[in-house]
Amino acid sequence: MKDSEFIFPTIVETFLKEGIAALRESEAEEVQRFLERSYIERPCNEQVVYALVKFYNAVADFASAKEVGQSFLMMDGYNKEVLGELSATFLQLDDMETYFSIVKQQLEKESLLEEPEQELATPNNVVQFPKKIVPRRNAAQFSEWSTPEQLEFLQQARFHDVEPYILPFKAFLADATTSPFVKSMIFELLQEKRVDAMFVVRKAGMDDMFNPSKIPMLSQDDFTAQLSDALTRRFEHSNPSFLEQLLVIVQQHLFIMYPFAFPSEDITLWSEAYSKWLSQLYGNEWQDNTDVNPEQLIEAMQFIERMEQVQQNYLL
């Protein structure tokens, strides 16, 4: 049984609205203590579970996020917010196969819960059809589905010819209002199927045309590997926990903007920009690298802030 509405203190509301970057280190620790204590007291409360999973994702504790989120879904059934937040968890754990399986199970649970109500409202002489199964097979309505339904469809589409889905996917990619996260999943599917065609992609305030067969997979991108290596060399000995969070943020931004890339490929600039941006969010002192152009650094940090806002608001 789901718990009653839960009222969070202001500091937790700040985290939920603005993300971990809006908190000082001591405030983040306070939020964690509050949410973990609340979870022990109310393990079936949807708001508490969602907030705790979101917090664990923010601090890169993906194993804990997975454990809390999965346990809740197994006990308490379908919840769109928790399921959506878990997409970031499984993405970072490189286990999207399991996530798609969970999505399918949860949608089936939701469908079963709705069946008795549908039966009461339907005359006996009318043949009923499962409303949630038919639309997922008709890609023409792809943009109208919930994000979990879209993700489940994309997983199933990996085993089929995607040619019948090209037009709906083109419309979805070109619509600036649709989920950037789902767009990244679509583009990866088109790459996997080696679709040789031009697609207009609009996301995160960016607009361009791409051919999936001509763009390298995100996991094979040289710039991504070089930036990760630069950040690792910089912090692996001096501040490994800071490095872990930094790498998670970079990966999330790269995926949310995909197939777009950073405005420049200056590894030194982006290493400096991400390092300074996260340090300042925690109120740490920072000494600029004199080898980096200050105006370019400001522009890079503004771009990072925009990607963070997109990631926070439109992951799902």
Side-chain angles (χ1 to χ4, degrees), residues 198-209:
M198 297 300 294
F199 292 82
V200 174
V201 182
R202 297 186 176 98
K203 59 158 61 174
M206 297 179 285
D207 184 335
D208 207 341
M209 297 187 69

Side-chain angles (χ1 to χ4, degrees), residues 94-107:
D94 194 22
D95 191 15
M96 291 304 287
E97 291 288 337
T98 300
Y99 177 72
F100 288 126
S101 177
I102 293 172
V103 166
K104 183 177 180 181
Q105 293 171 9
Q106 295 304 311
L107 289 172

Side-chain angles (χ1 to χ4, degrees), residues 228-245:
S228 298
D229 288 345
L231 292 170
T232 300
R233 290 195 302 270
R234 189 168 189 166
F235 296 108
E236 64 179 335
H237 300 300
S238 62
N239 198 339
S241 60
F242 181 85
L243 170 64
E244 183 177 10
Q245 186 173 355

Side-chain angles (χ1 to χ4, degrees), residues 204-217:
M206 297 179 285
D207 184 335
D208 207 341
M209 297 187 69
F210 299 93
N211 185 328
S213 68
K214 308 298 183 184
I215 302 293
M217 298 290 288

Side-chain angles (χ1 to χ4, degrees), residues 26-39:
S26 60
E27 292 175 327
E29 292 172 355
E30 182 181 343
V31 169
Q32 181 172 356
R33 287 194 297 269
F34 176 85
L35 290 176
E36 288 178 340
R37 184 171 63 250
S38 300
Y39 176 67

Side-chain angles (χ1 to χ4, degrees), residues 59-129:
V59 297
D61 187 357
F62 301 113
S64 295
K66 176 183 176 181
E67 180 180 354
V68 171
Q70 273 193 287
S71 296
F72 173 80
L73 292 174
M74 289 176 64
M75 291 188 303
D76 227 39
Y78 179 82
N79 179 269
K80 179 181 178 181
E81 287 72 26
V82 174
L83 194 61
E85 189 61 33
L86 280 175
S87 65
T89 306
F90 283 92
L91 177 64
Q92 292 302 324
L93 293 172
D94 194 22
D95 191 15
M96 291 304 287
E97 291 288 337
T98 300
Y99 177 72
F100 288 126
S101 177
I102 293 172
V103 166
K104 183 177 180 181
Q105 293 171 9
Q106 295 304 311
L107 289 172
E108 288 173 350
K109 285 183 184 179
E110 187 191 26
S111 180
L112 288 174
L113 289 173
E114 291 179 355
E115 282 179 3
E117 183 177 332
Q118 293 173 357
E119 289 174 3
L120 290 174
T122 306
N124 292 332
N125 63 340
V126 176
V127 178
Q128 297 182 46
F129 293 92

